[in-house]
């Protein structure tokens, strides 16, 4: 009865949720209104619902209950009591490698022996069906598979903080198992990974605030987002920087860490964002900076000349490179939005590019995997404004449990 109720609650959530708000926010409200559910039930239901959406556009014709169980099977590596109740043969294989589980499931759907090349039942490439819209070099199947796994948590260590940060993490390391004495030479491996020069990979659920002061010691920033650093490192030492679409401000803090003496300007269409940045910058030690509200789709958005040596436009986009963190966006996505965002990006860069001074550098980036938002915008910058790209990259995070991004750097040289 308990497991039947849990599956029924998960089915009711899928029926009620329509993608109008972020799923984690919606679930928080749902559990607040259903206080009879304990923490174990909340974790299981969240796990099941996220697994449902991680399947994206694959198996959309399955009954909701079957799709929930399929997502639970494919998106988890640890045995599940609920799966043991409904699908014990699946639960016995849940620890197997993902490709083996997919082959097993395909075999069940086709009524044949498990065959990873089967076209019946589950087709991995149906998860993200817009292959023709992808940026150059994106491996469609590998990208689809990445949705079946939650990305890791990444931190960037602030300059001068590496020793202290790693000492705190080492002290937080789980103690040896009861079968292993503390003096045993086979100590437990660290629960985190240090990726030089300054990145940390941590399991999701790690409570950063319990160990660190965010933005002072570490910045919560996806690994791919941290790879914007080389695009901001120009041949000459820059004195001025404008983060035109500042949002959370993580890339401005990154720019400050690269060039601590550089004068920073941030702008965003939302005044609330700039108010929130005050606290972040205070924690990060950025005391002097300029900020202003600007709608970059309108011209003129400001009559002040922009004497900046680096301008970063981390443009509003579909966010498709981050959907493995928010798979509900994949499930509810309307592909018409690709063109709408592309038109907005064209307008934004068309208003920024003419304001570049001689010898200035322009960096364009998105967290999208769609070529209309990436390579086609880069081509516009080159062809319409005569700027020369000296670095352009699809930053592929799907093979390292991180987001995927695009970045291009232009100069007038």
């Amino acid at each position: 009865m308990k497991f039947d109720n849990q599956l029924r609650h998960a089915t009711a959530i899928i029926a009620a949720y329509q993608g109008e708000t972020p799923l984690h926010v919606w679930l928080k409200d749902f559990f607040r209104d259903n206080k009879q559910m304990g923490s174990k039930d909340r974790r299981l239901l969240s796990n099941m619902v996220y697994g449902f959406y991680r399947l994206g556009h694959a198996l959309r014709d399955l009954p909701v209950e079957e799709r929930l169980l399929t997502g639970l099977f494919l998106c988890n590596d640890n045995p599940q009591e609920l799966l043991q109740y409904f699908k014990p043969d699946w639960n016995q294989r849940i620890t197997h490698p993902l490709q083996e589980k997919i082959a097993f499931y395909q075999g069940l759907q086709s009524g044949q022996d498990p065959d990873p090349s089967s076209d019946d039942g589950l087709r991995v490439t149906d998860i993200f069906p817009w292959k023709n819209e992808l940026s150059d070099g994106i491996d469609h199947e590998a990208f689809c598979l990445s949705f079946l796994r939650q990305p890791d948590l990444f931190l960037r260590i602030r300059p001068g903080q590496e020793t202290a940060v790693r000492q705190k993490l080492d002290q937080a390391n789980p103690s040896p198992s009861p079968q292993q004495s503390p003096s045993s030479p086979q100590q437990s491996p660290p629960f985190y990974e240090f990726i030089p020069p300054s990145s940390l990979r941590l399991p999701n659920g790690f409570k950063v605030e319990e160990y660190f002061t965010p933005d002072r010691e570490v910045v919560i920033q996806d690994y791919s987002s941290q790879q914007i650093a080389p695009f901001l490192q120009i041949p000459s030492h820059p004195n001025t920087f404008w983060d035109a679409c500042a949002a959370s401000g993580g890339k401005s803090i990154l720019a400050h860490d690269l060039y601590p003496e550089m004068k920073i300007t941030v702008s965003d269409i939302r005044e609330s964002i700039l108010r929130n940045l005050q606290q972040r910058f205070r924690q990060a030690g950025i005391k002097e900076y300029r900020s202003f509200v600007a709608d970059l789709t309108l011209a003129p958005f400001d009559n002040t000349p922009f004497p900046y040596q680096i301008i970063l436009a981390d443009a509003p986009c579909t966010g498709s490179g981050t959907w493995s963190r928010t798979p509900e966006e994949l499930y509810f996505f309307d592909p018409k939005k690709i063109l709408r965002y592309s038109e907005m990006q064209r307008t934004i860069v068309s208003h920024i590019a003419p304001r570049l001074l001689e010898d200035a550098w322009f960096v364009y980036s998105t967290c999208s995997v769609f070529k209309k938002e990436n390579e086609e915008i880069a081509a516009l910058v080159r062809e319409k404004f005569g700027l020369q790209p000296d670095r352009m990259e699809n930053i592929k995070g799907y093979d390292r449990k991180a987001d995927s991004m695009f970045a291009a750097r232009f100069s007038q040289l």
Side-chain angles (χ1 to χ4, degrees):
M1 180 67 70
K2 177 181 75 170
F3 300 118
D4 292 292
N5 286 338
Q6 288 170 335
L7 184 57
R8 179 171 55 82
H9 285 312
T11 303
I13 290 173
I14 297 301
Y17 178 67
Q18 298 299 313
E20 66 278 5
T21 58
L23 180 57
H24 76 277
V25 174
W26 195 94
L27 286 174
K28 184 177 180 179
D29 292 339
F30 175 83
F31 293 136
R32 186 187 61 221
D33 295 337
N34 292 270
K35 291 184 169 57
Q36 76 277 11
M37 295 182 182
S39 59
K40 189 174 181 180
D41 284 335
R42 294 195 297 269
R43 285 194 299 270
L44 174 62
L45 290 175
S46 296
N47 191 10
M48 293 174 68
V49 170
Y50 269 95
F52 178 94
Y53 291 117
R54 287 192 178 284
L55 293 173
H57 293 262
L59 303 173
R60 300 241 353 194
D61 293 333
L62 271 185
V64 172
E65 294 85 352
E66 281 296 310
R67 204 167 187 269
L68 283 162
L69 294 173
T70 301
L72 189 64
F73 171 57
L74 293 178
C75 300
N76 290 275
D77 297 324
N78 299 316
Q80 305 287 323
E81 290 182 343
L82 184 140
L83 204 60
Q84 181 65 29
Y85 177 79
F86 286 104
K87 305 279 188 181
D89 52 336
W90 295 15
N91 200 45
Q92 291 175 5
R93 294 172 171 83
I94 200 168
T95 60
H96 291 192
L98 178 58
Q99 291 285 11
E100 289 185 19
K101 294 198 290 184
I102 291 172
F104 167 75
Y105 184 84
Q106 288 173 332
L108 291 176
Q109 294 293 294
S110 64
Q112 302 171 357
D113 292 333
D115 178 4
S117 64
S118 172
D119 288 331
D120 296 323
L122 171 65
R123 287 187 292 271
V124 168
T125 51
D126 287 346
I127 293 175
F128 183 97
W130 305 289
K131 178 179 180 180
N132 293 337
E133 297 284 355
L134 285 174
S135 278
D136 299 338
I138 299 290
D139 184 322
H140 181 221
E141 183 171 352
F143 184 60
C144 288
L145 285 169
S146 72
F147 285 100
L148 301 179
R149 289 291 180 267
Q150 182 181 15
D152 287 328
L153 169 67
F154 291 92
L155 305 179
R156 182 175 63 81
I157 305 175
R158 299 290 308 282
Q161 298 289 337
E162 180 184 328
T163 300
V165 165
R166 296 189 66 179
Q167 283 178 348
K168 288 184 179 182
L169 289 174
D170 290 338
Q171 292 169 1
N173 212 18
S175 58
S177 64
Q179 295 80 17
Q180 180 182 335
S181 66
S183 59
S184 170
Q186 295 181 342
Q187 298 294 326
S188 300
F191 70 100
Y192 70 92
E193 178 189 1
F194 174 66
I195 308 173
S198 58
S199 299
L200 291 169
R201 180 197 301 274
L202 288 146
N204 279 288
F206 178 80
K207 299 187 183 303
V208 178
E209 293 82 1
E210 290 186 5
Y211 297 93
F212 307 113
T213 302
D215 300 324
R216 184 177 300 168
E217 298 167 281
V218 297
V219 176
I220 301 172
Q221 188 172 41
D222 182 76
Y223 182 75
S224 294
S225 187
Q226 296 180 40
Q227 305 315 301
I228 294 296
F231 290 84
L232 301 178
Q233 294 172 303
I234 63 175
S236 59
H237 194 290
N239 296 315
T240 53
F241 169 76
W242 175 30
D243 189 348
C245 309
S248 64
K251 294 181 179 66
S252 286
I253 299 175
L254 175 60
H256 171 79
D257 288 347
L258 293 172
Y259 304 108
E261 303 303 320
M262 184 171 62
K263 296 179 180 178
I264 291 177
T265 296
V266 293
S267 63
D268 199 275
I269 192 173
R270 299 154 294 183
E271 187 173 359
S272 60
I273 286 289
L274 299 179
R275 287 198 301 268
N276 293 337
L277 281 182
Q278 292 179 4
Q279 175 63 22
R280 286 203 76 183
F281 284 2
R282 188 179 302 114
Q283 290 284 72
I286 303 175
K287 298 178 180 179
E288 296 184 10
Y289 66 96
R290 177 184 177 228
S291 67
F292 63 95
V293 177
D295 183 346
L296 301 183
T297 65
L298 302 177
F301 49 82
D302 194 288
N303 292 324
T304 305
F306 287 75
Y308 301 113
Q309 290 168 283
I310 306 177
I311 297 179
L312 168 65
D314 188 26
C317 67
T318 57
S320 48
T322 70
W323 286 348
S324 53
R325 297 186 188 277
T326 55
E328 71 275 14
E329 296 191 40
L330 166 66
Y331 184 87
F332 289 104
F333 182 66
D334 178 357
K336 294 178 182 177
K337 290 184 179 180
I338 302 173
L339 184 58
R340 290 204 292 269
Y341 273 106
S342 177
E343 290 173 346
M344 181 191 302
Q345 292 148 1
R346 288 172 180 270
T347 302
I348 288 173
V349 300
S350 295
H351 290 162
I352 291 176
R355 293 172 179 257
L356 285 166
L357 299 182
E358 186 176 353
D359 298 332
W361 297 78
F362 176 51
V363 179
Y364 173 80
S365 67
T366 73
C367 52
S368 172
V369 293
F370 293 126
K371 58 189 174 186
K372 282 186 174 63
E373 300 185 90
N374 297 339
E375 289 91 346
E376 291 187 15
I377 303 300
L380 170 75
V381 174
R382 181 182 66 249
E383 295 165 5
K384 184 173 181 179
F385 302 102
L387 301 179
Q388 300 303 311
D390 81 321
R391 184 178 186 132
M392 187 161 64
E393 181 181 353
N394 283 298
I395 304 171
K396 303 168 187 175
Y398 54 81
D399 58 353
R400 59 181 68 200
K401 297 185 75 175
D403 297 339
S404 292
M405 297 185 61
F406 173 84
R409 184 175 66 188
F410 303 85
S411 73
Q412 299 185 66
L413 301 178

